[in-house]
Amino acid sequence: MSGAAKRVRLRALAKINLDLRVLSKRPDGFHEIRTVFQTISLADSIEIAFSPARKTSIELDQDVEIPGNLMVRAASVVLEAMGKTGRVMMKLRKQIPVGGGLGGGSSDAAAVLRALPVLAGRVVPTPLLVRLASALGSDVPFFLFGGKAVGIGRGTELFPLPDGKARSAVVVTPGIQVSTVAAYRDLGALLTPESSRQGQDGFSTAVWGNEGAMRNDFERVVFQQQPQLAAIKQRLAKAGAMPAMLSGSGSAVFGLFRSKEDARRACKSLGDTAQAVSLVSRQQYDAIWKRQLGR
Ligand code: ATP
C-alpha cells in the first residue's frame, strides 16, 4: 500500500574554491585543509518524488552514467534518520561536469538531504543533517548552507564569510577528469611541517581580504600533469581575471571578474569550454531553496 506521491524540482548549485590549502595528512586518513567555498549559478537539475510505503525503494534516472551515485545513498540515510519508509523516484540531469572540482556530486547529495524531509513531512534538525552530510562526503555540508564560507578540518567545519566584491566568474571546463584521490596522494608526498605553517599563514592573509594571496595548493601537482590547465589559468588572467585559479582538485579553472560585462568579454575570448556564471550569495541560496521547497 502506498500514499500519494509528493514531488519537487530542484537546482543543485556548483561551487568553486576561492582558496584551498592542504596542510597535512591526519591520523584518520583525511587531509587537514583550509578552504573558502563559494556557490555559483551553474547547476544540475533534479526531480524527486516520494510516496510513503511499507518498504523503501529508491530509483534514479540519470542522463550520465554515475555508478554509486551519492544521491541514492543520501536518500537512504535521510529516510533511515527520519524512521520513514517509502518509494523515492529521482531524476538527475547533469550540467556540472563530473570530476571537475565543482562539487556536483556533493551538491546533488545535499539537495536530496534537504528535500526528502520536506516531502516526507518531517523536520530533521540541522545538526543531524550536517552529520549525515559529513558522512557522505567532505564537501556535502557546505551545500546545506551555500554562499561564501570558510571550511576547515576536512572542510566540514564551516564559518560564513561576507560576500566579496566580485559578482561574476568565468568557469572553464576542459573535459578532463582529475582524480581527487590521486591529487591528494601526489600533493601529500610534498607536505612538510614548514609547508603546513606557510599554508596556514597564507590562508589567514587571503581570508582577511588580500585577493592577491588567494591560492590553490593542488595547482602544484595538477598543473604538472595537465599543462593545458595552467595555460587556461594564464589566459584567464590575461583576460583580466583577478584571481584565476583551479577549483578543488580540478579540472575546472575559474576567473573572478568585477562585472558581468568583463566576464562575458573574457568568456568570448576563451572559446567553447568557457561559461560566464554569477556568484550566488547565502541570501540568494536561501531564497532559491525556499522557492524550490515552497516555503
Ligand atoms: P570531488 O572533489 O569530491 O572528487 P568533484 O567536484 O571533482 O568532486 P564530482 O562531480 O562531485 O566532482 O564527482 C566526484 C566523483 O563522485 C565522481 O567520480 C563520481 O563518480 C562520484 N559521484 C557520485 N555521485 C555523483 C553525482 N551525483 N554527480 C557527480 N558525481 C558523482
Side-chain angles (χ1 to χ4, degrees), residues 46-144:
I46 293 175
E47 284 177 41
I48 309 180
F50 174 76
S51 46
R54 277 211 199 104
K55 272 192 158 181
T56 290
S57 63
I58 301 169
E59 291 161 47
L60 172 65
D61 163 7
Q62 48 188 349
D63 61 346
V64 176
E65 191 50 39
I66 302 170
N69 197 308
L70 268 188
M71 290 170 69
V72 175
R73 277 183 52 212
S76 165
V77 296
V78 78
L79 280 181
E80 206 178 300
M82 292 186 287
K84 274 276 196 184
T85 53
R87 182 170 188 209
V88 182
M89 286 165 72
M90 302 186 287
K91 198 166 161 182
L92 170 65
R93 295 293 173 260
K94 289 296 291 182
Q95 295 291 327
I96 307 171
V98 176
L102 297 171
S106 303
S107 186
D108 296 343
V112 173
L113 291 183
R114 279 189 80 151
L116 256 185
V118 175
L119 295 178
R122 291 282 168 93
V123 174
V124 178
T126 304
L128 176 54
L129 219 47
V130 170
R131 193 156 4 115
L132 298 177
S134 303
L136 288 168
S138 299
D139 289 352
V140 183
F142 167 68
F143 288 105
L144 297 174

Side-chain angles (χ1 to χ4, degrees), residues 1 3 6 26 30 48 52 101 126 154 158 181 190 196 222 250 262 264 276-277 281 285-287:
M1 205 171 62
K6 291 210 162 131
R26 314 185 329 178
F30 289 102
I48 309 180
T126 304
R154 285 165 57 199
L158 296 159
V181 174
L190 305 175
S196 170
V222 174
D262 290 350
R264 284 212 189 103
V277 298
S281 69
Y285 195 78
D286 281 346

Side-chain angles (χ1 to χ4, degrees), residues 35-51:
T35 192
V36 177
F37 293 110
Q38 169 71 63
T39 32
I40 57 171
S41 54
L42 177 64
D44 287 340
S45 298
I46 293 175
E47 284 177 41
I48 309 180
F50 174 76
S51 46

